[in-house]
């Protein structure tokens, strides 16, 4: 069940991607980690390094909760590199015996990108917020450093706090970024501001009574007024069931790359997953390049993933087509679909069908014969790219305009069935990292 080209823990529990950056040519990804397969506990930052965003080495734990200001977990945060240093900003989580909570935004610094020296808290909780205040994301703009922190106001509403600094050490509070008359849920986790070709987006993981989702808003980051002015009402960044807490970074070539947690959900939904018996749970998504087309944020797998395509097969599918699969670590690209009714069935675990402007994705539940289903209104499907990796599936529709991420526990039934009215051009590869 272990993915071959996704980051997943050898052992234990993984959640959010953290600290993303490219430092002296190498890509660094950290993730929230616990040595045991339980969702709650004193989180550590597990560290991975790569030259190509595809092959990763596990560097062990970079941050462990051993100081007073983080004793119940080194929670999520981000990475910033300067010419000679790599800074990690993260939340020190502290609980007391009565269940009370304290939060400190902390920094750790490295000269070599391997060992990080903790410098302790740089931000204490400002007035107006509860202790649900975490996940600092730092970036540079207009000769200043900026930080957004996910927050819950004293009114128990989600918002995002903005800070400014000129030295990464002393931070000035600039206010609440978001319009409080909107429904942001009861807490905004993992906020991120993305700037692509002068267009800005706010990404935020909203906790609502109805569920927790990563949402992207298009708008304008007003640094003078310290407000994010919305241009739309927000869209799911990924409409699958198993995607949360995404984070972006800009690499040395200027690409904006995003990874998310390929997991999340209610406690029994997570703990009933079959990999728990193997002693590990969850993975990160593949790295996705963000770009803007027709004013909308799109995601495409980074091009480096093409380097692990093996054994290409080209199939002109029409009517009923049966494709034998050697492995569930694979990529499928379907093009020239034009306007027609079609469906894909991946070993009865994942099914994609399209008819009458409506796309339906069904994913088989692991502990029953039932399928969970997502529907999306799409007028025309031009292309679909599906990335499968043993227990994961990521579906990119129309050049990544819509993306759907699912846990998919494939079996030994290794085949893909395609039904189509007209010809669909399919390419399929085995992926070997
Ligand atoms: C999001 C989150 C963050 C927090 C981290 C703790 O999944 O709840 O807000 O920092 O996970 O592991």
């Amino acid at each position: 069940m272990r993915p071959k080209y996704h980051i997943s823990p050898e052992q234990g529990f993984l959640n959010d991607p953290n600290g993303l950056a490219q430092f002296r040519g190498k890509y660094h990804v950290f993730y929230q980690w616990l040595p045991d397969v339980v969702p709650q506990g004193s989180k550590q930052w597990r560290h991975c390094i790569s030259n190509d965003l595809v092959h990763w080495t596990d560097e062990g734990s970079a941050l462990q909760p051993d100081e007073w200001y983080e004793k119940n977990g080194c929670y999520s945060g981000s990475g910033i590199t300067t010419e000679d240093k790599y800074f990690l900003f993260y939340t020190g989580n502290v609980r007391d015996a009565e269940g009370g909570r304290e939060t400190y935004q902390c920094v750790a610094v490295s000269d070599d990108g391997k060992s990080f020296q903790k410098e302790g808290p740089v931000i204490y909780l400002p007035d107006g917020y509860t202790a649900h205040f975490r996940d600092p994301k730092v970036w540079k703009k207009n000769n200043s450093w900026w930080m957004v922190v996910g927050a819950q106001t004293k009114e128990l509403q989600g918002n995002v706090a903005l800070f400014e600094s000129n030295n990464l050490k002393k931070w000035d509070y600039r206010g609440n970024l978001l319009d409080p008359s909107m429904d942001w849920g009861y807490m905004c986790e993992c906020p991120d501001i993305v700037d692509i070709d002068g267009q800005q987006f706010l990404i935020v993981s909203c906790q609502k009574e109805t569920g927790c989702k990563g949402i992207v808003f298009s708008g304008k980051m007003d640094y003078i007024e310290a407000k994010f002015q919305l241009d739309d009402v927000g869209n799911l960044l990924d409409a699958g069931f198993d995607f949360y807490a995404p984070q972006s970074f800009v690499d040395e070539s200027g690409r904006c790359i995003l990874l998310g947690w390929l997991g999340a959900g209610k406690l029994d939904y997570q703990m009933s997953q079959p990999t728990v018996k193997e002693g590990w749970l969850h993975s990160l998504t593949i790295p996705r390049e963000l770009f803007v087309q027709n004013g909308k944020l799109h995601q495409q797998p980074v091009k480096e993933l093409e380097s692990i395509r093996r054994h290409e097969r080209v199939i002109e599918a029409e009517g009923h087509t049966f494709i034998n699969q050697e492995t569930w670590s694979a990529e499928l690209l379907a093009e020239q679909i034009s306007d027609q009714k079609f469906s894909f069935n991946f070993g009865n675990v994942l099914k994609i069908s399209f008819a009458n402007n409506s796309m339906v994705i069904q994913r088989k539940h692991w502990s029953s014969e039932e399928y969970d289903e997502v529907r999306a209104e799409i007028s025309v499907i031009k292309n679909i790219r599906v990335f499968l990796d043993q227990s994961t599936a990521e579906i990119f529709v129309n050049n990544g305009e819509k993306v759907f991420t699912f846990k998919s526990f494939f079996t030994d039934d290794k085949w893909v069935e395609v039904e189509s009215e007209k010809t669909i051009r399919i390419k399929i590869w085995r992926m070997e990292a």
Side-chain angles (χ1 to χ4, degrees):
M1 285 180 267
R2 173 171 304 289
K4 294 206 164 43
Y5 58 93
H6 286 72
I7 293 174
S8 68
E10 275 295 306
Q11 176 210 323
F13 182 91
L14 168 152
N15 59 299
D16 316 356
N18 291 159
L20 310 179
Q22 191 176 12
F23 184 56
R24 301 192 185 131
K26 292 193 188 301
Y27 290 98
H28 294 255
V29 167
F30 304 78
Y31 58 83
Q32 288 281 284
W33 182 68
L34 284 174
D36 298 322
V37 195
V38 288
Q40 304 293 347
S42 297
K43 297 278 163 84
Q44 312 185 9
W45 278 42
R46 192 92 187 185
H47 186 190
C48 303
I49 301 183
S50 172
N51 289 318
D52 61 3
L53 292 166
V54 181
H55 302 88
W56 296 93
T57 56
D58 174 16
E59 304 289 322
S61 231
L63 298 178
Q64 299 196 28
D66 38 30
E67 301 289 338
W68 68 267
Y69 51 77
E70 56 183 16
K71 76 178 178 58
N72 300 98
C74 299
Y75 272 13
S76 286
S78 56
I80 273 293
T81 57
T82 58
E83 217 134 88
D84 54 350
K85 285 194 168 34
Y86 194 152
F87 294 81
L88 299 179
F89 291 88
Y90 66 101
T91 299
N93 180 47
V94 175
R95 305 299 293 264
D96 63 28
E98 284 76 52
R101 199 182 267 270
E102 290 166 25
T103 172
Y104 303 94
Q105 311 319 307
C106 306
V107 63
V109 189
S110 175
D111 298 320
D112 60 3
K114 292 248 175 184
S115 67
F116 289 82
Q117 279 73 48
K118 289 178 188 168
E119 295 190 347
V122 287
I123 293 178
Y124 293 80
L125 185 64
D127 287 344
Y129 300 100
T130 74
H132 285 286
F133 192 85
R134 55 180 174 265
D135 313 336
K137 172 77 204 270
V138 178
W139 73 101
K140 193 174 198 178
K141 182 83 182 177
N142 307 337
N143 289 324
S144 270
W145 296 100
W146 299 87
M147 181 198 286
V148 278
V149 181
Q152 179 182 62
T153 63
K154 282 263 156 68
E155 292 73 37
L156 306 185
Q157 285 171 349
N159 211 305
V160 170
L162 182 71
F163 294 84
E164 185 179 0
S165 171
N166 55 24
N167 58 11
L168 291 170
K169 294 201 157 71
K170 192 185 158 295
W171 290 89
D172 296 322
Y173 174 65
R174 296 286 314 276
N176 264 332
L177 203 61
L178 306 182
D179 173 357
S181 69
M182 279 207 27
D183 177 17
W184 300 96
Y186 58 86
M187 166 69 188
C188 290
E189 296 188 309
C190 305
D192 196 355
I193 299 286
V194 171
D195 194 323
I196 299 173
D197 306 333
Q199 201 171 324
Q200 282 121 51
F201 299 89
L202 161 75
I203 295 175
V204 68
S205 292
C206 292
Q207 289 188 311
K208 296 190 176 186
E209 301 301 342
T210 49
C212 300
K213 289 284 175 202
I215 305 178
V216 55
F217 297 85
S218 158
K220 185 118 214 76
M221 180 64 208
D222 183 337
Y223 288 91
I224 313 272
E225 295 295 320
K227 293 278 173 250
F228 190 85
Q229 316 284 5
L230 297 178
D231 284 346
D232 66 14
V233 293
N235 290 295
L236 287 179
L237 190 58
D238 185 305
F241 305 130
D242 303 289
F243 179 89
Y244 192 63
Q247 185 181 101
S248 72
F249 72 105
V250 178
D251 80 352
E252 289 170 358
S253 72
R255 289 184 297 177
C256 185
I257 298 171
L258 175 129
L259 286 96
W261 173 22
L262 206 165
K266 295 223 168 78
L267 189 65
D268 9 314
Y269 176 83
Q270 292 187 49
M271 296 310 290
S272 64
Q273 294 183 16
T275 69
V276 171
K277 291 206 183 73
E278 292 184 354
W280 65 280
L281 187 58
H282 303 313
S283 67
L284 297 181
T285 66
I286 47 178
R288 304 165 177 187
E289 184 177 350
L290 300 182
F291 63 99
V292 179
Q293 216 174 304
N294 304 325
K296 279 189 71 180
L297 194 69
H298 286 54
Q299 307 170 55
Q300 274 287 28
V302 292
K303 65 174 185 328
E304 286 87 337
L305 280 160
E306 293 174 16
S307 72
I308 56 164
R309 289 170 167 173
R310 300 283 178 277
H311 186 208
E312 175 173 292
R313 287 179 286 164
V314 181
I315 296 156
E316 305 278 334
E318 196 181 316
H320 176 259
T321 309
F322 186 89
I323 307 169
N324 262 313
Q325 283 284 94
E326 296 157 51
T327 162
W328 285 121
S329 287
E331 178 192 344
L332 179 144
L333 166 67
E335 290 174 307
Q336 294 173 12
I337 301 177
S338 71
D339 191 21
Q340 62 167 308
K341 207 168 129 185
F342 67 86
S343 67
F344 287 89
N345 179 350
F346 299 89
N348 274 339
V349 171
L350 185 76
K351 299 177 182 177
I352 305 172
S353 57
F354 180 75
N356 306 325
N357 301 333
S358 173
M359 180 171 171
V360 181
I361 305 175
Q362 294 174 299
R363 189 275 319 267
K364 189 172 174 297
H365 200 276
W366 38 91
S367 41
S368 74
E369 291 306 307
E370 307 278 300
Y371 286 80
D372 296 317
E373 186 174 294
V374 170
R375 270 169 197 277
E377 295 310 306
I378 300 176
S379 51
V380 182
I381 296 196
K382 290 177 233 141
N383 51 57
I384 301 186
R385 272 176 96 182
V386 184
F387 285 76
L388 308 169
D389 202 2
Q390 310 299 329
S391 51
T392 67
E394 289 157 277
I395 304 167
F396 297 80
V397 181
N398 290 346
N399 304 324
E401 181 180 352
K402 281 212 159 55
V403 187
F404 304 84
T405 295
F406 301 96
K407 288 294 181 78
S408 296
F409 295 95
F410 295 106
T411 67
D412 286 338
D413 267 341
K414 296 200 183 97
W415 47 261
V416 184
E417 241 172 7
V418 187
E419 302 281 348
S420 60
E421 293 177 317
K422 298 180 238 164
T423 310
I424 298 181
R425 189 185 165 81
I426 296 174
K427 283 188 186 167
I428 192 157
W429 297 269
R430 180 168 89 207
M431 297 291 260
E432 261 174 35

